[in-house]
Amino acid sequence: MIHQYKDSVKKVDNEEKMSGMAIFTGDIKMDDAYFAIPVRSSISYGKLLKINVPNLPKDYSFISAKDIPGENVCNIIASDWPVFADKEVHYKGETIGIIVGPNKEKCLELAALVECEHKEFEPVFEMVNSYVHKEFKKGNPDKVFANAKKTFSESFSTGYQEQIYLEPQAMLMYLDGEKITIKASMQCPFYIKKAVVRVLNCSEDKVRVIQPAVGGAFGGKEHYPSLMAAQLAIAIVKIKKPLKMIFDRKEDITFTTKRHPSKTEITAYLDEKDNILGVKIHVGIDGGAYVGCSMVVLSRALIACNNTYTFENVHVIGDAYCTNKVPSAAFRGFGSPQSIFAMELFINHLADFLHVKPLDLRNKYLVKTGDITPTNGIYRDPIILKELMDKAMEMSDYKRKLAEYSKPGSNRGIGMSTFLHGCGFTGSGESTIINAQLKIKKDKNDIVTFYTSQVDFGQGNRTTLKRIVVDTLGIPEDHVIYDAPDTDITLSTGPTAASRTIIIVGGLAAKAARHLKEIWKDGEEQEIVEPYVGPDFIKWDEDTMQGDAYPGYAWGVNVVEVSFDPLTYEVNIEGCWSTYDVGHAIDERILMGQADGGLAQALGWAYLEKEEAENGMFKQKTLSDYVIPTMVDLPKMETALIDNPFPYGAFGAKGAGELTFAGGAPAFAIALEQAIKHKVHKIPATPEYIMEILENED
Amino acid sequence: MINHFVPKNLKEALTILNKHDCYIMNGGTDLMVQKHVSTGLLPKFDKDVLYINNLKELDYIKKDEEGIHIGASTRYVEIENSPLIPNIYKRVIKEIASPNIRNMATISGNIANASPAGDTLVPLVLNDAEVVLTSANGERKMKVDEFVYGVRKIHREKNELISEIVLKPQELSYFYRKVGSRKAESITKVSFLGGVKIENKVIKDFRVSFGSVAIKTVRNREIENKYIGRNINELDINEVINDYAPLVTPITDQRSNKEYRHKVAMNLLKKFVMDIKEGGINE
Amino acid sequence: MKISFILNKKNVEVDVSPSMRLLDVVRDVLGLTGTKEGCGEGECGACTVLVNDEPYNSCLTPIINVANKEVMTIEGFRETKSYRIIADAFASQGGSQCGFCTPGMILATYAVLKKNPHPSEEEARLALSGNLCRCTGYQAIVDAVMLAAKKGIEL
């Protein structure tokens, strides 16, 4: 269908991207840059006794932990991931050092000659050793559960997922006088800056990060570039040559961070009338060798684990497990899709167990405005989930299809999921950790310039944030300048993550623009630095996981229809219909791009994208083996937005980036269950897994 | 020192091959992946390379009484668009890789690459297609089925070039299924091709080949002959399955597992036989 | 060795190994960085260029294979009327997000429409199945192709 978007403006970066003129990191010409090639651990766990470096020709160096002037810590959220493995190695592929030099081929050759002497330890690949444990309760679960008449328990698991941003990780670093200047494919310029400052123990003004065009990120460029930057920074202070580290796809898939695999166990406690008294949920995620950001991913997974349902008594337990594998980190959804997948399937299975219709059971426990969240906060905004469901059912002809596909001999299925996403950083993180500050200024010609540290890696925020300021000020578009972040000019408005860009930074931009308008004096230079102030109702205790976890929630419904081939166990997606409440969509076309894109990634995670670790190493290392959906694997997608303006966001907008990922996998799995007439407990639901289900249960 | 030879014509190519052991670069879609090192670096070869993709003499499709002759540098896209090519080949080729790759890749390259997952090998083997091997000393022909004898193993002498493929049109009805990792750009996990000719319920010809389930494309003439001459009503599905099951010996790798490959191969065989019994093969 | 071909309607000659990837020739030797490398193994299509009007994966093309042929990269194509129509269609439907796949996608769109000016959605999807995009879920790209087809790409 060809769309006429009434409320959309031309994307500011359309022309440069379509014409090939946009300059991505790898496109930046710097002929004198040295190449940096990682030397990686060949073992999963052990003591690093000695590094044997071959004789290096002139102009070639080996940079390792011994060269670090500051702390050997990659500044992620936890401080446990070393920049270079030093006394021990904790996963296969961990960086021991880098070879830098002018000729790439020679660097590769030399890197292959570096040998390590180890004392090997027994590695752990399974989720058994917890390094982050969290637990919280709502109501009085201990007492209530003890009096339950029956229980129903199930366990669900989800696999790794690689981001497959089309542009692999890339970084260029050079010295501008004394200043280390970094251009990279990234999400968070200030994360990179902090990581360099920490590893070099230098002052903040010695590091500058500038964002070129970024070819996709999805969480995969939230933390990993900090590691690359820290490694290159150690080299650059030593050899004083420009450096570049650009990963080939294989290196990117094999060694960069992925979505956490998960295992979720849920037990429902029921009374004699089959009312759900409460649920006990354990979410386990595989964090890999270092914590990195896993505790925050775990938090999100736990907070979201009741999904769109309200249960009176809840006991939530979570563990992030240490395994000797590549650390897992951010990917769209940040833990919540894993626990939402489990809850959506669980509620459906529980309905079967209780011999009631899944839709009836869901409706009975569906979240309503004023309900208490699992962390004892309050769902404050008007909740329009029922409307979203009705609309999605109407668009997809859900009820007719559901009945028809239940008939024996049908190889089709239709599934519906409901889901939510908490926007912004968890809890009071926006006020206590990030403390965004947005600068807006006006010159004598009344040209307004504003700055954020938000990266546009395709989401369209360069367009939308600019539009928020233009519309607030009510001045022509070409009177507002808004460029990509440069840490020497921009104040930090925080990372481009957590669906916070529009709801938080957009809100901040609108507020700054409003304040500028209030004091506006034609022909005068004016400047405002607007600090973020969170809504005062947000109270959050990170230690006890109690309070309001997010300033606002966005909601959605996905319906997925599938067909199944009993000869080959292959599944085809026949249709997708979605409805969303993202508050008010500022730019409908951009929003639709988020809707389709998030769902496509979720469907890939649900049935195609298999990443297995074998002996601590990923088995699928290339784009031909780690397969993401092509144009023919996905059907036509239809999406409707229902307006429900959010009082605290710019122009009523909430976050939308991660929401659209949350429901694809459960809707797919529920549809698949109907098509194959068997229960699913794991994704990716590959044909091999489906065969196993059918063979085992027949 | 690695030599790169760019011959002007076939004769020159053959003269070079007479003196040098070479990789033969055609469309490049396999060799350029296998020899790739890293962005910005030249592919790394351990012996000389001969480039034949531009040889006009090898770019043709023509038909005579012997069969349909496809020159070695003819690309898939040309084969897909040629009225001379039997539909079964077009059907198979349409599901190979992507349109971009099919603009570049050649059927001779698919044979020479000798991957167990090589999709064209399945119809080539089933339909008794031949390769023409040319050297400075002359030419010889060989059935594709014999020419490819293992994983990346072919009976090409160092001085020879696959100059042509000869398709032998058959009077068969076909049942083909490629099962890959996704619907396009997919590497085959298992593929099946059955061909049959039935007259008055009597099987006049019966052929089966499987791809990606053994070190080379599976075809067994002894089993096929057993069923030729049978009435379709006397065709026993279990008997056919039992005959073929031991020949299907797939592996577990990063793309699939042996249990799945075996099971699907047998499901497709079963479907083929059932369709024959119901008189329903008409592709 | 010296290899000549026509690049964006101009004769060029490069002195490189015949094995050099067309992708590296256009990016590194000739400095045209609109052609992207997303995988280096012919899966993603970000490196798509047109060779005699057919889309090729330049990451798998040894430069000698295009000797004396016409190669068109996005730098040449963006000067054409067809580009304007396709680019406007992409803009109107939201077919470009991060932009890394976009130049390849636009060239592939041109090749599809040149071969089949009025494809069905299914034909359009099949014809572009060698170009991966991780941002859009493809719907907006398919819509853009259909819109460009409707407008006619002025061949």
Side-chain angles (χ1 to χ4, degrees):
Chain A
M1 195 172 82
I2 295 161
H3 298 276
Q4 304 283 343
Y5 293 107
K6 36 187 192 318
D7 260 349
S8 297
V9 297
K10 196 174 162 108
K11 272 178 80 181
V12 296
D13 54 354
N14 255 339
E15 197 55 37
E16 63 192 57
K17 285 184 169 171
M18 289 192 278
S19 64
M21 282 190 267
I23 298 297
F24 294 83
T25 304
D27 303 335
I28 298 168
K29 200 169 163 57
M30 192 166 277
D31 289 337
D32 58 343
Y34 276 24
F35 294 88
I37 303 293
V39 173
R40 298 183 180 281
S41 170
S42 58
I43 66 160
S44 292
Y45 185 27
K47 206 176 175 121
L48 188 53
L49 300 173
K50 193 163 176 252
I51 306 172
N52 297 315
V53 183
N55 283 331
L56 298 174
K58 184 178 165 290
D59 297 331
Y60 290 83
S61 325
F62 176 69
I63 307 292
S64 64
K66 65 176 175 15
D67 302 302
I68 298 175
E71 263 182 287
N72 186 8
V73 166
C74 181
N75 194 76
I76 301 181
I77 300 174
S79 294
D80 65 334
W81 191 347
V83 176
F84 292 120
D86 193 0
K87 292 170 184 71
E88 286 187 350
V89 290
H90 289 259
Y91 68 95
K92 235 177 235 173
E94 184 169 1
T95 324
I96 309 279
I98 50 176
I99 292 279
V100 292
N103 180 293
K104 190 177 185 183
E105 201 171 359
K106 188 79 196 164
C107 289
L108 285 165
E109 196 183 295
L110 293 168
L113 292 174
V114 177
E115 282 179 358
C116 296
E117 293 173 24
H118 304 107
K119 179 170 189 269
E120 279 198 63
F121 305 139
E122 188 66 37
V124 175
F125 302 130
E126 303 304 320
M127 288 196 258
V128 287
N129 297 336
S130 171
Y131 53 19
V132 182
H133 178 84
K134 287 179 189 282
E135 198 162 343
F136 57 88
K137 291 174 183 172
K138 168 186 166 185
N140 193 352
D142 299 340
K143 191 178 156 204
V144 173
F145 294 175
N147 295 327
K149 290 289 170 283
K150 49 180 159 174
T151 62
F152 176 72
S153 302
E154 277 194 312
S155 158
F156 301 91
S157 61
T158 64
Y160 278 109
Q161 187 181 24
E162 162 57 39
Q163 292 85 358
I164 311 287
Y165 25 69
L166 256 273
E167 178 203 23
Q169 302 278 357
M171 182 167 286
L172 189 67
M173 185 181 282
Y174 56 92
L175 291 172
D176 182 3
E178 290 277 284
K179 186 168 281 193
I180 294 172
T181 308
I182 300 160
K183 292 181 177 169
S185 192
M186 64 174 104
Q187 279 176 245
C188 312
F190 283 92
Y191 279 7
I192 292 177
K193 180 170 171 158
K194 268 190 190 164
V196 171
V197 166
R198 188 162 178 189
V199 77
L200 295 184
N201 191 24
C202 65
S203 61
E204 297 247 337
D205 62 352
K206 290 282 187 291
V207 185
R208 176 181 188 186
V209 182
I210 304 167
Q211 181 227 310
V214 175
F218 318 117
K221 292 169 184 171
E222 188 170 337
H223 299 298
Y224 202 84
S226 299
L227 181 67
M228 295 166 72
Q231 291 170 348
L232 293 186
I234 298 160
I236 207 164
V237 294
K238 199 166 170 196
I239 63 163
K240 311 219 182 298
K241 292 276 184 192
L243 294 169
K244 63 179 159 191
M245 185 183 261
I246 298 179
F247 281 4
D248 286 355
R249 178 61 63 184
K250 191 173 176 181
E251 182 158 34
D252 196 302
I253 295 182
T254 314
F255 301 115
T256 69
T257 58
K258 301 189 177 16
R259 182 183 301 284
H260 292 71
S262 74
K263 192 173 176 210
T264 301
E265 285 147 13
I266 311 180
T267 301
Y269 295 84
L270 304 147
D271 69 10
E272 62 285 352
K273 289 180 181 159
D274 289 348
N275 294 307
I276 303 173
L277 298 170
V279 291
K280 183 174 179 181
I281 303 177
H282 181 271
V283 183
I285 58 172
D286 184 344
Y290 298 109
V291 176
C293 64
S294 287
M295 70 285 218
V296 188
V297 172
L298 182 66
S299 279
R300 247 197 202 276
L302 297 181
I303 293 164
C305 75
N306 286 9
N307 193 24
T308 49
Y309 310 104
T310 300
F311 305 112
E312 300 219 340
N313 299 285
V314 178
H315 185 178
V316 177
I317 311 154
D319 286 286
Y321 295 99
C322 178
T323 57
N324 294 105
K325 292 183 286 189
V326 171
S328 305
F331 192 161
R332 203 175 199 161
F334 215 69
S336 58
Q338 287 93 318
S339 60
I340 286 174
F341 170 76
M343 178 50 75
E344 280 299 275
L345 262 68
F346 180 80
I347 202 95
N348 254 38
H349 297 179
L350 177 61
D352 268 12
F353 174 74
L354 299 176
H355 305 291
V356 297
K357 285 185 181 161
L359 195 55
D360 294 343
L361 188 68
R362 289 166 151 197
N363 280 333
K364 189 171 164 188
Y365 296 95
L366 210 61
V367 170
K368 297 181 298 297
T369 308
D371 280 0
I372 304 297
T373 72
T375 57
N376 292 304
I378 300 169
Y379 292 108
R380 288 186 168 78
D381 337 322
I383 294 173
I384 56 166
L385 252 181
K386 281 237 165 102
E387 278 176 76
L388 294 174
M389 286 168 81
D390 288 343
K391 179 75 185 163
M393 286 193 280
E394 178 203 314
M395 287 161 67
S396 58
D397 196 6
Y398 175 81
K399 287 190 173 166
R400 182 190 65 76
K401 287 176 179 170
L402 187 71
E404 192 184 320
Y405 303 158
S406 306
K407 291 178 188 158
S410 165
N411 290 318
R412 283 211 173 212
I414 192 160
M416 178 166 59
S417 63
T418 58
F419 47 91
L420 81 176
H421 191 82
C423 304
F425 258 50
T426 302
S428 45
E430 291 292 346
S431 316
T432 56
I433 302 171
I434 299 181
N435 286 316
Q437 285 188 302
L438 187 143
K439 184 162 76 180
I440 188 164
K441 64 181 191 189
K442 179 170 89 65
D443 67 11
K444 281 178 184 156
N445 301 316
D446 294 336
I447 299 297
V448 172
T449 308
F450 76 104
Y451 306 91
T452 78
S453 56
Q454 278 15 82
V455 174
D456 190 333
F457 41 84
Q459 332 86 303
N461 51 18
R462 241 175 95 191
T463 305
T464 308
L465 288 172
K466 181 172 178 181
R467 185 169 166 193
I468 287 169
V469 171
V470 168
D471 287 1
T472 305
L473 290 170
I475 60 175
E477 200 191 317
D478 59 359
H479 288 203
V480 175
I481 297 169
Y482 171 51
D483 286 329
D486 172 340
T487 58
D488 264 16
I489 301 170
T490 314
L491 297 173
S492 177
T493 51
T496 317
S499 303
R500 61 183 293 282
T501 295
I502 298 304
I503 194 172
I504 304 290
V505 184
L508 188 57
K511 201 168 154 194
R514 268 199 312 275
H515 286 164
L516 178 63
K517 199 175 176 180
E518 280 162 22
I519 60 162
W520 185 286
K521 286 192 183 125
D522 283 344
E524 271 187 34
E525 282 184 22
Q526 292 178 291
E527 183 176 310
I528 287 175
V529 172
E530 187 74 45
Y532 176 79
V533 181
D536 52 11
F537 59 80
I538 292 285
K539 300 275 184 286
W540 175 255
D541 185 331
E542 181 65 34
D543 294 331
T544 58
M545 299 283 286
Q546 293 293 301
D548 276 300
Y550 304 105
Y553 297 84
W555 306 86
V557 176
N558 288 154
V559 176
V560 172
E561 182 177 347
V562 303
S563 64
F564 163 69
D565 183 343
L567 280 181
T568 63
Y569 313 99
E570 290 169 297
V571 178
N572 191 39
I573 301 178
E574 302 287 341
C576 297
W577 300 266
S578 308
T579 53
Y580 296 105
D581 161 12
V582 293
H584 172 70
I586 295 173
D587 190 308
E588 191 187 356
R589 179 167 54 214
I590 285 177
L591 210 290
M592 289 300 179
Q594 291 298 294
D596 295 344
L599 182 55
Q601 290 177 354
L603 293 170
W605 183 49
Y607 85 117
L608 277 185
E609 298 178 27
K610 182 177 67 178
E611 186 61 270
E612 301 161 299
E614 194 175 71
N615 294 322
M617 180 50 70
F618 295 122
K619 263 174 93 175
Q620 291 76 20
K621 298 183 171 75
T622 64
L623 266 189
S624 52
D625 290 339
Y626 183 80
V627 293
I628 66 166
T630 69
M631 222 173 268
V632 289
D633 293 291
L634 295 172
K636 198 177 178 69
M637 295 180 178
E638 290 176 45
T639 305
L641 307 174
I642 299 183
D643 217 48
N644 183 20
F646 175 66
Y648 301 97
F651 298 102
K654 297 191 269 201
E658 293 170 285
L659 173 74
T660 59
F661 188 95
F668 172 88
I670 293 165
L672 176 62
E673 291 182 337
Q674 190 182 28
I676 64 173
K677 317 257 185 287
H678 283 76
K679 297 267 182 285
V680 170
H681 292 94
K682 186 173 97 175
I683 52 166
T686 59
E688 287 80 2
Y689 170 59
I690 295 169
M691 181 189 91
E692 203 183 298
I693 297 175
L694 298 184
E695 295 276 288
N696 289 346
E697 291 190 23
D698 275 349
Chain B
M1 172 67 185
I2 303 291
N3 294 302
H4 293 266
F5 299 110
V6 181
K8 286 183 192 60
N9 51 46
L10 180 59
K11 190 166 173 237
E12 191 186 330
L14 298 176
T15 311
I16 294 162
L17 281 178
N18 236 5
K19 292 186 205 131
H20 304 268
D21 181 11
C22 292
Y23 283 109
I24 297 173
M25 178 80 79
N26 203 337
T29 57
D30 282 313
L31 207 48
M32 291 297 280
V33 177
Q34 289 157 19
K35 303 301 171 191
H36 178 58
V37 181
S38 187
T39 303
L41 299 184
L42 294 175
K44 196 165 189 164
F45 296 96
D46 50 6
K47 59 184 186 186
D48 296 347
V49 189
L50 177 76
Y51 297 82
I52 64 161
N53 199 239
N54 292 343
L55 295 179
K56 292 265 183 312
E57 292 155 272
L58 296 180
D59 186 0
Y60 58 81
I61 299 173
K62 58 194 182 194
K63 191 174 184 175
D64 62 17
E65 53 283 359
E66 192 199 354
I68 297 146
H69 302 261
I70 303 176
S73 66
T74 311
R75 299 164 301 137
Y76 282 143
V77 62
E78 300 171 73
I79 300 172
E80 274 179 273
N81 292 332
S82 165
L84 300 178
I85 300 293
N87 281 334
I88 182 60
Y89 286 100
K90 295 187 180 184
R91 165 99 167 75
V92 171
I93 288 170
K94 274 197 173 72
E95 288 187 53
I96 293 176
S98 65
N100 287 13
I101 297 283
R102 298 199 297 275
N103 287 332
M104 305 158 68
T106 64
I107 198 166
S108 65
N110 201 227
I111 297 170
N113 190 45
S115 157
D119 283 333
T120 64
L121 295 170
V122 175
L124 289 166
V125 165
L126 185 115
N127 293 310
D128 298 324
E130 293 174 339
V131 287
V132 178
L133 295 151
T134 305
S135 70
N137 311 325
E139 64 173 48
R140 65 188 176 107
K141 282 182 188 163
M142 202 170 192
K143 283 219 165 83
V144 172
D145 197 7
E146 291 158 43
F147 179 68
V148 177
Y149 68 94
V151 179
R152 311 218 177 271
K153 290 196 165 78
I154 53 174
H155 287 294
R156 177 177 79 85
E157 298 301 324
K158 283 176 185 166
N159 65 346
E160 286 178 327
L161 185 75
I162 300 176
S163 58
E164 181 180 290
I165 318 300
V166 189
L167 307 184
K168 311 280 180 139
Q170 309 288 328
E171 286 181 33
L172 294 169
S173 299
Y174 296 101
F175 171 67
Y176 177 69
R177 271 304 290 272
K178 163 174 170 156
V179 181
S181 43
R182 60 183 164 198
K183 285 168 72 185
E185 295 208 292
S186 87
I187 297 177
T188 303
K189 293 176 183 174
V190 47
S191 64
F192 175 88
L193 179 62
V196 69
K197 186 183 175 190
I198 297 163
E199 279 173 13
N200 300 323
K201 298 203 165 185
V202 176
I203 296 173
K204 295 287 175 187
D205 200 347
F206 178 91
R207 304 182 193 188
V208 165
S209 59
F210 298 94
S212 241
V213 295
I215 56 161
K216 58 172 278 191
T217 304
V218 171
R219 183 180 171 195
N220 185 294
R221 285 172 184 73
E222 223 175 291
I223 299 174
E224 291 173 2
N225 288 335
K226 199 173 132 185
Y227 294 105
I228 294 173
R230 271 214 205 162
N231 188 293
I232 57 170
N233 297 328
E234 287 153 24
L235 200 56
D236 176 2
I237 292 175
N238 289 330
E239 186 188 350
V240 181
I241 298 281
N242 289 338
D243 282 340
Y244 280 103
L247 305 181
V248 173
T249 54
I251 57 161
T252 294
D253 61 10
Q254 74 277 22
R255 295 181 193 125
S256 187
N257 62 50
K258 58 186 181 200
E259 293 81 12
Y260 174 81
R261 287 176 158 129
H262 195 276
K263 176 81 182 165
V264 170
M266 292 302 115
N267 283 355
L268 294 169
L269 176 63
K270 199 187 276 180
K271 166 84 174 140
F272 173 60
V273 176
M274 275 168 64
D275 285 357
I276 292 175
K277 287 176 73 72
E278 288 160 14
I281 303 283
N282 50 16
E283 247 183 74
Chain C
M1 68 184 283
K2 286 188 172 131
I3 298 166
S4 320
F5 59 104
I6 300 158
L7 178 67
N8 300 330
K9 307 212 181 273
K10 286 185 192 121
N11 291 311
V12 292
E13 187 183 84
V14 289
D15 192 358
V16 297
S17 163
S19 68
M20 190 179 230
R21 307 185 305 169
L22 173 56
L23 174 65
D24 292 330
V25 173
V26 297
R27 284 182 60 87
D28 297 351
V29 180
L30 302 168
L32 303 179
T33 55
T35 309
K36 307 297 177 192
E37 175 165 1
C39 73
E41 52 160 356
E43 287 286 329
C44 76
C47 68
T48 299
V49 301
L50 300 177
V51 176
N52 293 349
D53 266 351
E54 288 173 341
Y56 271 46
N57 289 328
S58 63
C59 73
L60 298 185
T61 306
I63 183 66
I64 191 68
N65 281 14
V66 300
N68 303 318
K69 291 180 185 158
E70 283 190 40
V71 177
M72 177 81 89
T73 67
I74 193 69
E75 286 85 357
F77 187 65
R78 72 186 175 214
E79 305 298 331
T80 66
K81 280 184 183 169
S82 306
Y83 166 77
R84 196 64 266 155
I85 292 163
I86 294 171
D88 287 348
F90 269 66
S92 127
Q93 300 304 299
S96 171
Q97 288 193 27
C98 83
F100 205 74
C101 77
T102 312
M105 202 64 88
I106 283 184
L107 288 166
T109 299
Y110 168 77
V112 175
L113 295 179
K114 172 133 196 185
K115 225 172 168 174
N116 180 2
H118 297 287
S120 65
E121 278 205 29
E122 199 185 331
E123 287 167 340
R125 283 181 185 267
L126 258 178
L128 292 171
S129 59
N131 291 75
L132 297 179
C133 164
R134 190 60 152 171
C135 296
T136 62
Y138 303 112
Q139 187 61 51
I141 294 172
V142 176
D143 294 341
V145 176
M146 301 315 282
L147 179 58
K150 201 172 156 191
K151 298 210 162 156
I153 55 168
E154 295 195 15
L155 300 165

